[in-house]
Structures are given as structure tokens and as C-alpha cells.
Amino acid sequence: MSLLHKTNLQLLLDLSLNKAVFDGEFGLEKENVRVDRHGRLALTPHPSAFGEKLNNPYIQTDFSESQVEMITPVFTSITETHQFMESIHDIVTLELEEQQELLWPSSNPPMLPQEQDIPIAQMNNAVADEYRHELANKYGRKRQLLSGIHYNFSFTDTFLNQLYKLNQQTDDGQRFELSSSSESFATFKDFKDAVYFKVARNLLKWRWILIYLTGASPIFDKSYMKHCVEKGMSIDHKSYFFPNMSSLRNSTCGYRNQSNFQVSYQSVQQYVQDLQQLIDERELMNAMEFYSPVRMKTADGSDPLQALLNDGVAYLELRFIDLNPLEKIGISEETMHFIHLFLIYMLLKQDEPFGVREQRLADLNHDRMNSEGLDGLLHTTSQEQITLREAALVFMDEITTMVELLAPDKERYISIIANERQKMAQPELVIAELVKDGVHRSDYISYHLAKAEKYAQQSIATGYRFQGYEDLELSTQLLLKAAVKRGIRFELLDRKDNFVRLMKDEQVEYVKQATKTSLDTYSTVLMMENKIVTKIVLAEHGIRVPIGEDYTSLATTKEAYNKYREQQIVIKPKLTNFGLGITILNYNYSEAELNRAFEIAFEHDDTVLLEPFMTGKEYRFLVMGDEVVGILHRVPANVVGDGKLTITQLVQEKNKDPLRGQGYVTPLEQIKLGEAEVTVLASQQKSIDYIPNAGEIIYLRENSNISTGGDSIDYTDDIPDSYKQIAIRAAHAVDATFCGVDMMIDDIGVVANDHNYSIIEINFNPAIHIHCYPYQGKNRKANEKILDLLFDEK
Amino acid sequence: MSLLHKTNLQLLLDLSLNKAVFDGEFGLEKENVRVDRHGRLALTPHPSAFGEKLNNPYIQTDFSESQVEMITPVFTSITETHQFMESIHDIVTLELEEQQELLWPSSNPPMLPQEQDIPIAQMNNAVADEYRHELANKYGRKRQLLSGIHYNFSFTDTFLNQLYKLNQQTDDGQRFELSSSSESFATFKDFKDAVYFKVARNLLKWRWILIYLTGASPIFDKSYMKHCVEKGMSIDHKSYFFPNMSSLRNSTCGYRNQSNFQVSYQSVQQYVQDLQQLIDERELMNAMEFYSPVRMKTADGSDPLQALLNDGVAYLELRFIDLNPLEKIGISEETMHFIHLFLIYMLLKQDEPFGVREQRLADLNHDRMNSEGLDGLLHTTSQEQITLREAALVFMDEITTMVELLAPDKERYISIIANERQKMAQPELVIAELVKDGVHRSDYISYHLAKAEKYAQQSIATGYRFQGYEDLELSTQLLLKAAVKRGIRFELLDRKDNFVRLMKDEQVEYVKQATKTSLDTYSTVLMMENKIVTKIVLAEHGIRVPIGEDYTSLATTKEAYNKYREQQIVIKPKLTNFGLGITILNYNYSEAELNRAFEIAFEHDDTVLLEPFMTGKEYRFLVMGDEVVGILHRVPANVVGDGKLTITQLVQEKNKDPLRGQGYVTPLEQIKLGEAEVTVLASQQKSIDYIPNAGEIIYLRENSNISTGGDSIDYTDDIPDSYKQIAIRAAHAVDATFCGVDMMIDDIGVVANDHNYSIIEINFNPAIHIHCYPYQGKNRKANEKILDLLFDEK
């Protein structure tokens, strides 16, 4: 039963195309049903935060209003695809969290109400709404809540083109043969179609193997369709199952056409012709209603028949993959890799006949596997009597051989295959059996609800980051997550620069570092960058600023000393955004100290500002448009005692917060107990072993930077409106849309007057993540606000 | 006859206020009549380039449409004031050059047509037009063409406040006394008014001294008013004069009220009351018609009577200063300083009575000086018989004493005073005598026309710079000159940063480095700054760019070498605007050479681009809005032989071009003959003593930078439109208003197609001066275009 086409394989090796066959383009789509905190189907509308259902390329609804569909863009690697799906999953989870809902992690539905109480998706489109109602009537709303994963795949056109050239060669044995008939192709399109139809045929024939390995819906709730519950078995009269069934969704109780329509996969022409006939005969309303396990898709993602004829097949959509409740997003990277290998094998193996008879046998094998497991006999046209298990094992050997011959990263693949092979020998290891086993320890609803809650907690804990984009600044990651949520497409133009392009309908926006956008003019940014200009303009607008002088030479130190010796002053370089080169001189400083402060500042710029030192506490006002979006105050790294733990232990406890990390990849930084902290403690006559009293606050640093473990405290709701109005006026004075206004406030218990505050700086690139994930306080959703303003929403 | 108030002086010294008395605020206004190339009054309208007459704060018209009035802002130094006036003068001259007109350098008119053919200024305002016609009928149009200088002066309020406090002291002798009457003042305003009225009284009394020194209109053309010509003397029957007259303008043939109205200068109340009476009696149409030698002005520059009463005197306007034809702008800095000293003296000297009688005596002294010179006797209330010369010399001694006692920069002042004193002993040295002497060597018209032409050439030769703002970048200087020309007010917010504010009516624009404005968004600038993003976007717009790859590590050199070894390539840092770190590798480069090029580039950025080297010549397209404003090509430093001069001599000749300077303060840089140039010559087997053949071009450099003596050649009219359209499309692709598009073009004789050009960079801060003052080609007025776009003009 050797199925590999050895000559073809050797040819790929000879021509160094063996690696290119593993290249591909991938996409995932998946549905999850929304449920409440008790595992009941959510009857709420699709959250408006996800924008218009039909316009969001990432987050839509499927048949039911309660069924969220998540769609990744196309990626050239499985890792990226998987990570992006995880991010969408996180984004949806975080939004649902706000309405106390969860994503149901099983392909089988949660606790369902009566059929007629299940909401059908409202598409705000008469035709689409009617179509959905017809489908609901035909298949039943409960059935329609079955959810799954679509795995989209194509080889790269570069690779297929090389194959095509090999196929066109006629001179010697160096010819790549798609089938034994040695057919030749007039165009690349014809060849490419033939490739995907060959893969589709082989896939249909052997799909039972993949369903065995990926089936994850072996058990269902008593609220599912009555006739299925009645036929099923149950231990607890809550959760029902059929013996050996791994996938309800791929069973007769699953989502299938009412008949096993015979559609030819011999060529694109025959495929289209057969489908058209079914439509003409009113068996199907349209081509979309043909629920084949694999779909032939065109480049724009649709599958209308005419487009298939004209443009050919662009990729395959595998539709039979269940949501795996053991995985947060319903599928593991390993499973994705195995399916990829399975698809490559379908191209490289010998072509086999796949007429009406073979197609029916494939359907029978599918059903036999799903009712008898691997112990049943393989339906085959030959006389050979082998079990499904024996056939599957041969199959795994063949894939192993293929990988060993060709693959670029063999070890990982071999390990993945070995793991899947193990499940054939030991059915108790297969996903469906693990799920069934888990359910039997509690019940269907409780088991999956626990999973749903666990996964939601994971999403929330890492809500500040975007899977697969952790190399970007947190502010940019948050902006992109907000974009995905509302369906604004994005592209990374220069990852290192955090330079992205956002697209919605016809509008295109270029954004660098989250807040550098087209909404601020260049001159506005330059005004903010230049402290002298900022102060002139703010003062003209009646806003209190530290009015000082600028110096361009150390020679004037003496003059400055004579003039300012009786004041507290600040010496700082004219251009700095990072607090470098700044010295604060308290009362009674010496001329030498002033001189040194000037020297330090001159190391950073050749113009240095001398300003009166402004009293009060410093607050960062994040202004966006006409609004103060958030106000933060930072305090130095600290711990609060409980009367039991030492400082070391308290630091360890505080560092467990998932928002605290190392190396600026998290909203807060872990507190260190290094030389600097020990010195600060020593100045308080304390050591790291000191046990602070309950409620005693121990500061471990003098500076309040987040980068040295400082805390960010949200004061947005605590600062009187008068200060907010001043911050907004300051932003307007320089015509800024996005800026961070640093204000000193003497006492936030007193409303602003002409002498109890001052603005020391306006920043043109304010960090937004600190307002979204402060140490204390609410997420101020600054990322959402940027998009509101950029795309004129809300 | 000691007039200094010694106690007051000692008081200033004791309290270290002696320097502050020399502080002040200055402004100049002057008129010049426009003439054609023959010295005839220009009958053309006021140039539209100067914007609306009444809205341009710098350039207006006076009574006649042909009379340009130039007005400086207020400055705290005489040098700044003088320089600014010189700049306005330059700006007006350059604009008049375009219509073959000149500024007439004399207070007396040029060759005049008949009275009725002299155009009265059209103000587009019925009331203003009628007023001008009434004045024309009352005084005569020829008389109205007399032009002069208004010198505006105030002490600083800081200083006057200190004086006021000293005046308020009652305890001991430490009291500053304005007058001998020891009056006290209820408010600072009252004191300040008293100060300026005291100065005005003294000034009126002694004004004949200043008129003697500044009078510069001793002679006039035969086309002037008939009755004056008839009374005058002439040698050539072209130019007429009166014996000893230094200022026609300050004579009975000058611009005076028809009677010597008696208006009291004892207090603001009496002054206003007397003027109001003259108006009520229809002697004057309004207060403006009172042509006193000194005017009391309010803060807004007007002198309506009510405002004077309410707000008090803000500054004095000296109206009797003639245009000095020996000076390009009509007055020297030295004269301005002398007038300043004169004014200070008027404050510090003893107060003298100035009633009706003293006022009439002052008028008599004025007229006596203007008809008899200094030899006549001083009209005085005392019995003393002294000549005007003797009185003037005492006066000079007093001023010298004052300066020696108090002044911060004595030597300069002493030298200025000595110089003026000399003119009293030797009347032939006085300006009027020098002018008359000059005229007698030719004639009135020819003499002044020659001066006008000489000054125009001076203005043209330095047209690229803005007097007093030479520390700014040339691009900014040009922008500000264009602003002044059309009457857009400006302020320097940060000189070092070339950060200016432009204001017109209610519109305020902030501009840095001439082209960084509110018309470009921040994201547009960031796109241009990022070469990767620029190329992605341009390529998407169908524009040819060098598509390469970016590298972040030297480790990939080998891979790059294998991939690109057969191409000409460029290695450059991702972020650079100054051409630093760029290496071009020709065919057959080694891996070591590539490695070195990467190393060099990595010194400037941690991302390095590898691009195919694009063929052709490089052109800089300056795009503004929807327009290519200029196209430049730069060629390396070179000389063209004449068969006679050596290379050294040719370089010396070429360096005489006023556009060539040293240290980047001019549009072009002088060619040096240093080591680099000698090496380049040596590679051509030539020395600096080689005499090139006529027409032979000798290149002295390999690089074409302007900074090493390269030439900028304007190609704006030589490049086919197809390339201009590409440059505009490129600018639009990144949404840029102002940018420099660097394009390689294979052959400008061939229109653009898909493979004969490429854009290598778009610059967001293009220099504009190179397009205004190229080595070869027209001034493309890029500075004007910026203002057109910023203020939506034309």
C-alpha cells in the first residue's frame, strides 16, 4: 500500500524544491458561541464594540447572533496564524468580560433555550436576513450553533510555478507528474486548479484520519436537538454521547447537507457543473450551502461558481476541524502543523481514482470511524481486508517517510507525527476521549464552563499585549488590538519603528508609536518639542508655566547665580523628553553647584533652560482631542507591610502581578532589590529583612520612574475639572490632538487658581499603555480614543 | 549756560540707574518716492506684491500713490531698528527692480509732472480717499511728495518706573526732579506724561541743532513748486537752492501747517485742549493734520486726543529728520545714536520755561538756522548775545559731560559726538553741504539718480539675506523677507531653532526652518523620514523606487553578497538626511568591500538599507502643494577656462560672485584650492597653475555638494512635464505639502517612462534658498510660494 510518488519526491530533492513544498499560506476561521457565567447561550446582541458585523474583517457573527466568528488574515507561517487567532480570541474575551460573558470552548453548543428563542444573526440586510431564516428553518437553530474551525491553506505560487515548469518538461524523466495520466496543462491556472483538486480528492478520501485526530465533540448537553439526545447514551442524564463518536459535528447529528450530494472533484469544470445542477434543482439555495468537508475557494475568499471557472482555485478551506476544548483558542500549533503535513502529502502521493463509488466509500469510512473508532474495516474497492487503524498507521509511516526525505525542520515534524501516531495505538489519548473522560468527572456544561473561565482569565492577565507583536511597543500593541476589535485592518510598515498603516473602508492612516498621527501637524509637534516656544505660547494663553531663561554658554553662570540665588530652580537641556540632564537646585545652593548643573545639562543640548522650581505633585494629563482621557501620578517603587512578611517577601509578592515584567515589555516593571534600593532602605535605617508593620509604606527608590519599579496611580476621577480644563486649553494652545500635559498641582483638593498649578511640559508622544494598565485604577482605553479620533467614530 | 541737572545725574549714578537711562525702544518710519530709470516720478500703482496698503504693517503708501512708506517694528536697540529698515528698503528695492523702478534717496522730490498728474494714493476707502484729496488741495501735490524720516522713541517703562519711585520719595535729597517746581504726580501715568512733555518741550526748543546736523535737502529740482523755484538760486537752471538752507522740507517751501499754530506742551490736558480748539475752529481737519516737529503718540501708534487723555503718551515721534542721500536707507546708525543722546539729554537737563513766547523764539531759531546757518544770533529771552554756533557748541559739551558721567559704552558715544561737533566748526562737513557740493558737480536729478542706482545694486547683491537676521538659516531669512514684503507680521520665537511665528489678520502660523509648517501632518513627515515606508508607499502608487532590503546585523553580509554580487548597489543607513554613511559599490566589488560598507552604515543607524544603484543624473524637485516650484541639479566645483587665466586665477574670479561666501551664510560657497582640489587636479595631470583652454571645464571636486564649492543649476524649465507629474504624485502619495523629491533621470531629453527614472528619497525639510539663488537660472521664489500656501493667497 505504498502511496508516495517516489519519482516526484526525488525530483523535488534533486532540484532543491524540497523545502519550498513546506512553504504555504495559512488562515484560520473559527466560531465560538457566547455564553453567560452559567454556561447558558447568551441572548444579547453581538457587542457593538466589534463594529459593523459585515465590515469587520476579524470579528463577525455566523448563523446565530450569539456565535462569534473570528478570522485571521493570511500569514506565511503557522505560528503567526495561531498567534493572531489567539489575539483575536483575547480581544473578544476582554470585550465579553465587560458584559459577563464567555466564549464557549466546545464545538457542541452550551445550555440552549427552546429552538425559537435562539437568536438568528441580524445582518441589517433584508436578503441576508431572509437567507439566514431559511437556513434556520431547514437545518434547525440548535444544529446551527455547532461551531468549528476552518483551516485555509495554499501552497505558494512561487512553488507551484516551479512545479508547473517541471510538469511542462517533455524531454526526459525530469517531469513532475500530478497524476498517472500524464496530462499536460495549457496554462498555469489549469495546473494550479489540478493541484488543488488532486489535494481535495485525496483529502476527502482520507479525511477520516484527520477527524479521528481532531474530533473534539464526543459529548453534548441534554438541551441539544431532541432526536439526538433520545438516541444518545448518558450516565448523568445531563451529558449525552454515542459510543466511539469523536465528533458530533461530523456525525448525522452534526451540520451536514440533508443528502450526501455527489459532486465531482475531477476538475473545476465538472465540480462547477455538478454544483450548478444541484442549485438548479433547488437542492441547494446557492454554492455556499454545499457543506463539503473541503471547499475550493477563489482569491477573494468567496466561492461563487463563475469566479472559480474564471480565476481558478486560490486555496482550500478545510471545514471539518472541531474546536479543541483542551486548547485556549480551540486548536494547537501542533495540530495545525500536522494538518499541513497531511495536505502536503496529498499533493505528493500517488493519485487515486475518486469517482462516485470512491466518494461514497470515503463517506462510509468517515461515518465508520465516527461510530466504531479505528477498529472497523476500511471500505475499499480492493479486496484487501484491513482495519481503519492499520490503514491509518500505514498513512503515518508514509508521512514520516515524506518528512524524513524532504522537510527542512525534521525533528519537530517527526515528534508531532509520533505524537499523533501514538493516539492510533492508544485511542484513550485522542482529544475526544480526553474530553469525554473530563466530562464524566463532572458534566458537559460544568466541564466546558470551567475551561471557558480558565481561558478567559488567561486572556485578561495578558490583555496588555498582542500575541505575535510583542516586539512592538506596548502602546502600539494596544492600538492594534483596539483596531482589530472594531475591524480596522492594519499593516506593519516598519516593525522596528512601530510604524503601522490602519485601513477602514477607503480611509488610510499612517501611525507611528501609537500617537504620532495625521491629526497633529508638524508645526504643532515642533512647538511641543521646543520648550521655549511651548512656554511662550502657553503663557500667552494665560496658562501658568515656569518662566525662566535660556543659556547658551557656561560663561553666564555667575550672572545667573546672582539673579536666581534666592530661588529654588531647575536646570535642564532645552531638548529632552527622557528627563536626562535635569538638576533641581534647592535653596542655598552654591555657585559651584549651579555650574555643575549647567555642565550636566550642556552635555545634552547646547541650549540650557533655567526655570524656577515649581512646587506640588506632578500629574500626567493625557489629552486627546477635547478630552482628558486619563490622569496619572507616579510614585516610587514601594511595598506596603502586613506585619508578617519581610521587605524581600513583600517585593516578591508584589512582583507576582502579571502587569509587572522585566525589560519594558509589560505595563509595570518588577521591583528589584539591588544596590540602589538597599541604599535607599539604609537611609531609613532598614534592611531588606525588615518586617514592616501592617499598612506601613516602605519606599525603595527616590525616583518615581515606572522603569525602576514605580507605581502608576490613576487619578482621572479624582482631579477637579478645573485642572482638566487647563490641560485641554494647553493642548489647544499648541493645536495638539494627542499630547501628554505634565502639570504640577499643589493640592488636588483645591480647584485650580492662578498660582496653585503650573504646566512644566507638553509631550507630543505620550505613552498610552500606562493609562490603560495602571497599577491602581481603571483602564482608560486611550487606544480606543485614538481610533475614535482618527476614524471619526463615536 | 550749564543746563544739566547735576543732582539728578548724581542720583542716577548713586542708584546705578545710569545705564538704564540709555535703554530705550526705537522705531523708524520713512518715505521714499518711486522713480523710473530717468529720475521721473513713477506714475504706476503701488506694487500689488506689497499686499493691501492698509494691512501691511511694514510697507504702505503715504499721501501719494508713488510714495512708499516703510515702517519698522519696535526694537530695543538702534542697530536692530536700523538693520530692519535696511531690510525693508532692500525688499522694496528688489520688488521695484522687477518694474524698472528705483527708490528716490532725497527728501526733495524727483522730476515731477504737472501737479494734476501726480497720483494721489488710492486707499479703496471713500473717507480716506476724500481726506487725501482735501489735503492735496490744501497743501499741493508736489509739496506732499516731500519725504522724510520719523524717529520714534520711548524710554523703557522699567526705567521710568524707577524714576517715578525716585520722584515720589519725600524724605531726603534723594528725589528725582522733573522740573524745578517739584511737582508731584498722583499716578505713574501722570509722571510718564510729564516726562515726555518735558522732553518734547526741550526738543522743540533746541530742534534747530538737530535740523542743522540732519538736514539733507538743500537743493531741489526745477519741477518743484513754481514759487519756490522762482525764489531760489541756480547755477545750471536745473537745480535750485537757497543760501545756507540745509532742509527745504523744514523751510517755508516744506511741508508745514499754513500757520504756526500755538499749541501748549505744558501738559497733556493743555495740549489736547489747544488741539481740539484748532479742530473746532476748522483750522485743522483732525489731530493728524497738526504737523508739529514732534508728536505725542499713544500706545497703538495713533494720536487721537481722547486716547492721549486716557492712556497717556507712549512714545515721541520726531518728524523733522530728512532722508540723507549719502546713506542707503537715508539715515546712519550714528545719526540715530546722536538723536538718542539728544533725547536723553532733554530729559536730564534743567527744565526751561516754554510758553507762547519761548515757542515762537524756537520757531525763529529753526528758521534762522535754515536760512543763515550757525552764524546768526540765537533768539532768546535773555540779554545774552550768542550765535547759534556758540549755543550749539555749549550744547555738545553738555551732552559730552552727560555721556562721560553716565553712559555704558562711552567711547562710541564720545566719537559720535565729536564727529557731529566738528560739523559745527566746519559747516562744509554737514550733510546738506556735502549734498549740495555733489549736486553742483552734476545736477540734482543725475546726482540722486546715481545714488539710487548704486543703492539698488547693493540691495540686489545681498538680496538673499535679511539684515539683522543673518544668524538664521538662509531659507528662513528668505521666508521672512517674503513675509515682510506682503505684510505678514513675524516674531522669532527661537532664533537658534529658526522657529518663527507668522501672523496675518487673525491667522497665526508657526514655522520652523521655513518649510516645517502646519500644512504637513506629523505622519506625513514621519513617512518621508522613514525610507522603508516611503518606498513601500511610492511603489504602491506605481512610482519607480530602488527596491532593496533592510538589514539589522552585519551577520547577514554573506547572504547579501551572494544575492547582489552581480549588481551595482548602494548601502545606506535607514535614517539619514545628510548623505552620511552611504557607500556606492560598483560592479565586481568584494565581500570585504560590502562588509566595510555595512560597517560604515551601521555607524549611523541600526537598520541599514541595501538598494540597487540607480543610473542617471540626480535632480532635486522642490514640490509645494500641487506644483513643482523648482528643479536643481548640482555639479562639482569647477572653473571654465578662457585660454588666459590659470586655474588659481579662474577660481579667484569665480569667487567674486556675491552669492559665494564662506561658512554657509550665502547661497553658494567659495571654491577652495586645498588638498582635496589639488588631488583631483593631479588625477587629471594638472596643477593649479594650468591655464585651461577657452571653454575647457576643469572639475576641482568629485562630489557635487554646494558646501564644497559646487554649482547649483536651475533646470525648472528644461525638464519634461512628465517628470514633474511624477514628483507631484510622489508628494501626494505621502500627503506632503512641502518636500524635496530626489529623482534620478537617465536622459532629460526623453519623457518619463516606467524604467528611465527613479525616486531615491523624499525630503521633508527641503532648502529653499538654493532654488531662489542658484548659480545658474532664475529665482524660483519658493519663499513666496510657502506663504501663498500657508495663507491661502493667490
Side-chain angles (χ1 to χ4, degrees), chain A residues 466-738:
Chain A
F466 193 152
Q467 288 285 344
Y469 296 90
E470 292 93 340
D471 54 323
L472 301 178
E473 292 174 355
L474 285 177
S475 288
T476 298
Q477 290 185 49
L478 288 173
L479 180 72
L480 296 183
K481 288 185 86 165
V484 166
K485 184 160 92 178
R486 63 178 72 187
I488 291 171
R489 283 168 299 131
F490 74 89
E491 273 176 64
L492 300 183
L493 297 182
D494 188 347
R495 289 183 90 112
K496 255 186 124 227
D497 258 15
N498 288 275
F499 210 128
V500 305
R501 173 154 58 185
L502 302 176
M503 290 155 289
K504 188 189 170 203
D505 303 328
E506 298 301 299
Q507 190 182 348
V508 179
E509 292 290 340
Y510 294 85
V511 178
K512 183 173 168 177
Q513 295 179 303
T515 56
K516 298 176 174 176
T517 74
S518 68
L519 295 184
D520 281 304
T521 72
Y522 194 22
S523 56
T524 283
V525 170
L526 295 170
M527 284 164 79
M528 290 192 263
E529 194 184 53
N530 184 311
K531 293 192 183 72
I532 293 173
V533 174
T534 302
K535 283 198 288 183
I536 290 173
V537 173
L538 292 188
E540 284 171 354
H541 283 75
I543 292 165
R544 191 154 182 261
V545 289
I547 294 283
E549 292 191 63
D550 51 298
Y551 295 84
T552 52
S553 138
L554 268 177
T556 43
T557 304
K558 191 167 194 69
E559 195 181 290
Y561 183 67
N562 286 334
K563 197 159 171 186
Y564 294 99
R565 60 195 301 175
E566 286 170 13
Q567 299 180 38
Q568 277 185 289
I569 59 173
V570 185
I571 305 293
K572 58 181 170 180
K574 188 173 88 172
L575 290 180
T576 174
N577 263 314
F578 302 101
L580 296 174
I582 297 180
T583 308
I584 296 169
L585 293 167
N586 283 314
Y587 294 110
N588 303 320
Y589 54 88
S590 68
E591 190 177 330
E593 283 169 324
L594 177 62
N595 201 58
R596 181 71 199 122
F598 269 114
E599 278 172 6
I600 291 167
F602 275 121
E603 281 166 22
H604 294 87
D605 197 345
D606 49 11
T607 299
V608 166
L609 307 186
L610 179 157
E611 290 173 355
F613 178 72
M614 291 289 172
T615 54
K617 270 185 171 180
E618 184 178 337
Y619 296 85
R620 158 61 61 90
F621 287 64
L622 179 66
V623 179
M624 294 186 165
D626 299 326
E627 201 181 310
V628 171
V629 171
I631 305 175
L632 270 194
H633 173 63
R634 295 171 311 178
V635 293
N638 66 81
V639 287
V640 181
D642 62 357
K644 293 172 200 155
L645 299 180
T646 64
I647 288 175
T648 304
Q649 289 166 326
L650 289 167
V651 166
Q652 283 165 356
E653 280 305 305
K654 191 160 179 173
N655 283 345
K656 283 181 182 166
D657 185 341
L659 295 186
R660 280 187 203 272
Q662 291 185 322
Y664 320 118
V665 295
T666 45
L668 294 166
E669 206 62 11
Q670 289 190 354
I671 300 173
K672 294 191 182 72
L673 281 176
E675 201 180 318
E677 289 79 5
V678 169
T679 306
V680 171
L681 282 175
S683 74
Q684 307 166 49
Q685 285 81 46
K686 295 190 177 69
S687 82
I688 58 173
D689 299 323
Y690 171 72
I691 298 176
N693 300 325
E696 184 183 3
I697 301 175
I698 306 290
Y699 288 101
L700 300 158
R701 277 275 185 170
E702 284 186 339
N703 66 310
S704 61
N705 300 52
I706 301 299
S707 57
T708 53
D711 290 340
S712 48
I713 318 285
D714 175 45
Y715 274 85
T716 314
D717 298 330
D718 305 316
I719 303 261
D721 187 59
S722 50
Y723 297 101
K724 294 179 188 171
Q725 293 309 318
I726 289 168
I728 292 167
R729 268 174 45 218
H732 286 189
V734 296
D735 197 29
T737 301
F738 298 118

Side-chain angles (χ1 to χ4, degrees), chain A residues 105 323-328 430-431 434-435 447 451 454-455:
Chain A
L323 288 174
N324 177 358
L326 306 177
E327 289 288 325
K328 176 171 139 192
V430 93
I431 299 169
L434 295 175
V435 169
Y447 173 81
K451 294 277 185 208
K454 185 180 88 180
Y455 298 144

Side-chain angles (χ1 to χ4, degrees), chain A residues 494 496-497 499 501 510 516-518 520-523 525-527 530 536-537 540 574 606-607 764, chain B residues 494 496-497 499 501 510 516-518 520-523 525-527 530 537 540 574 606-607 764:
Chain A
D494 188 347
K496 255 186 124 227
D497 258 15
F499 210 128
R501 173 154 58 185
Y510 294 85
K516 298 176 174 176
T517 74
S518 68
D520 281 304
T521 72
Y522 194 22
S523 56
V525 170
L526 295 170
M527 284 164 79
N530 184 311
I536 290 173
V537 173
E540 284 171 354
K574 188 173 88 172
D606 49 11
T607 299
F764 58 91
Chain B
D494 187 347
K496 253 184 128 230
D497 257 15
F499 210 127
R501 171 155 58 185
Y510 293 86
K516 298 177 173 175
T517 74
S518 68
D520 281 304
T521 70
Y522 194 23
S523 57
V525 170
L526 295 170
M527 284 165 80
N530 184 311
V537 172
E540 283 171 356
K574 189 173 87 172
D606 50 10
T607 299
F764 60 90

Side-chain angles (χ1 to χ4, degrees), chain B residues 639 647-648 673 675-690 698-701:
Chain B
V639 287
I647 288 176
T648 303
L673 281 177
E675 201 181 319
E677 290 79 5
V678 169
T679 307
V680 171
L681 282 174
S683 74
Q684 306 165 52
Q685 285 80 48
K686 294 190 177 68
S687 82
I688 58 172
D689 300 321
Y690 170 72
I698 306 290
Y699 289 100
L700 300 159
R701 276 276 185 168

Side-chain angles (χ1 to χ4, degrees), chain B residues 418-485:
Chain B
N419 196 34
E420 297 299 319
R421 198 178 199 289
Q422 188 75 356
K423 296 175 188 171
M424 291 167 177
Q426 296 177 261
E428 68 274 19
L429 296 179
V430 92
I431 299 168
E433 288 305 314
L434 295 174
V435 169
K436 201 154 64 177
D437 183 55
V439 169
H440 284 156
R441 292 163 199 262
S442 60
D443 61 65
Y444 173 78
I445 297 297
S446 307
Y447 173 81
H448 287 97
L449 192 57
K451 296 276 186 210
E453 275 167 353
K454 186 181 88 179
Y455 299 145
Q457 284 315 310
Q458 288 174 5
S459 292
I460 290 161
T462 56
Y464 57 84
R465 63 188 170 96
F466 193 152
Q467 288 286 344
Y469 297 90
E470 292 92 339
D471 56 319
L472 302 178
E473 292 175 354
L474 285 178
S475 288
T476 297
Q477 291 185 49
L478 288 173
L479 180 72
L480 296 184
K481 288 186 85 165
V484 166
K485 184 161 91 179

Side-chain angles (χ1 to χ4, degrees), chain B residues 552-786:
Chain B
T552 51
S553 137
L554 268 176
T556 43
T557 306
K558 192 168 191 68
E559 197 181 287
Y561 183 68
N562 286 335
K563 198 159 171 187
Y564 293 99
R565 61 195 301 175
E566 285 167 17
Q567 298 180 41
Q568 280 184 286
I569 59 173
V570 185
I571 306 294
K572 57 180 172 184
K574 189 173 87 172
L575 289 180
T576 173
N577 264 313
F578 302 101
L580 296 174
I582 297 180
T583 308
I584 296 169
L585 293 167
N586 284 313
Y587 295 109
N588 303 319
Y589 56 86
S590 68
E591 190 177 329
E593 285 169 323
L594 177 63
N595 201 60
R596 181 71 197 122
F598 269 114
E599 278 171 7
I600 292 168
F602 275 122
E603 283 165 17
H604 294 87
D605 197 347
D606 50 10
T607 299
V608 167
L609 308 185
L610 180 156
E611 291 175 354
F613 178 72
M614 290 289 169
T615 54
K617 273 184 169 179
E618 185 178 336
Y619 296 85
R620 157 62 61 91
F621 288 64
L622 178 66
V623 179
M624 295 186 164
D626 298 328
E627 202 182 310
V628 171
V629 171
I631 306 175
L632 271 195
H633 173 61
R634 295 171 312 178
V635 294
N638 67 82
V639 287
V640 182
D642 63 355
K644 293 171 202 158
L645 299 178
T646 64
I647 288 176
T648 303
Q649 291 166 326
L650 289 167
V651 166
Q652 283 165 354
E653 281 305 305
K654 191 161 179 173
N655 281 346
K656 286 181 182 165
D657 185 341
L659 295 187
R660 279 187 205 272
Q662 292 186 321
Y664 320 117
V665 295
T666 46
L668 294 166
E669 205 63 11
Q670 289 190 353
I671 300 173
K672 293 191 183 73
L673 281 177
E675 201 181 319
E677 290 79 5
V678 169
T679 307
V680 171
L681 282 174
S683 74
Q684 306 165 52
Q685 285 80 48
K686 294 190 177 68
S687 82
I688 58 172
D689 300 321
Y690 170 72
I691 299 176
N693 300 324
E696 185 183 0
I697 300 175
I698 306 290
Y699 289 100
L700 300 159
R701 276 276 185 168
E702 286 187 339
N703 66 312
S704 62
N705 300 52
I706 300 299
S707 59
T708 53
D711 291 339
S712 48
I713 318 284
D714 174 47
Y715 274 84
T716 314
D717 298 330
D718 306 316
I719 303 262
D721 187 60
S722 49
Y723 297 102
K724 295 178 187 169
Q725 292 308 318
I726 289 167
I728 292 167
R729 268 172 47 218
H732 286 187
V734 296
D735 197 28
T737 300
F738 299 117
C739 65
V741 177
D742 290 335
M743 196 187 296
M744 301 295 293
I745 301 181
D746 284 352
D747 179 357
I748 61 169
V750 177
V751 299
N753 60 42
D754 286 346
H755 47 81
N756 63 359
Y757 78 91
S758 69
I759 288 180
I760 50 175
E761 199 163 294
I762 309 187
N763 296 278
F764 60 90
N765 186 217
I768 61 166
H769 66 276
I770 54 176
H771 298 275
C772 296
Y773 289 92
Y775 175 65
Q776 272 175 29
K778 282 202 268 190
N779 182 338
R780 297 296 170 179
K781 301 195 172 170
N783 50 346
E784 302 275 0
K785 189 70 195 167
I786 293 171

Side-chain angles (χ1 to χ4, degrees), chain B residues 34 41-46 53-54 60-69 115-136 141 144-145:
Chain B
R34 287 185 289 118
L41 181 73
L43 303 179
T44 50
H46 186 67
K53 278 171 204 159
L54 292 173
Q60 303 183 349
T61 57
D62 207 279
F63 293 122
S64 165
E65 182 78 8
S66 312
Q67 196 174 27
V68 182
E69 181 172 6
E115 180 86 9
Q116 66 274 18
D117 294 335
I118 296 174
I120 296 175
Q122 301 293 317
M123 306 310 285
N124 295 320
N125 173 314
V127 176
D129 283 345
E130 192 190 326
Y131 176 62
R132 274 178 164 66
H133 274 87
E134 281 185 50
L135 289 175
R141 298 186 186 189
Q144 285 183 316
L145 283 173

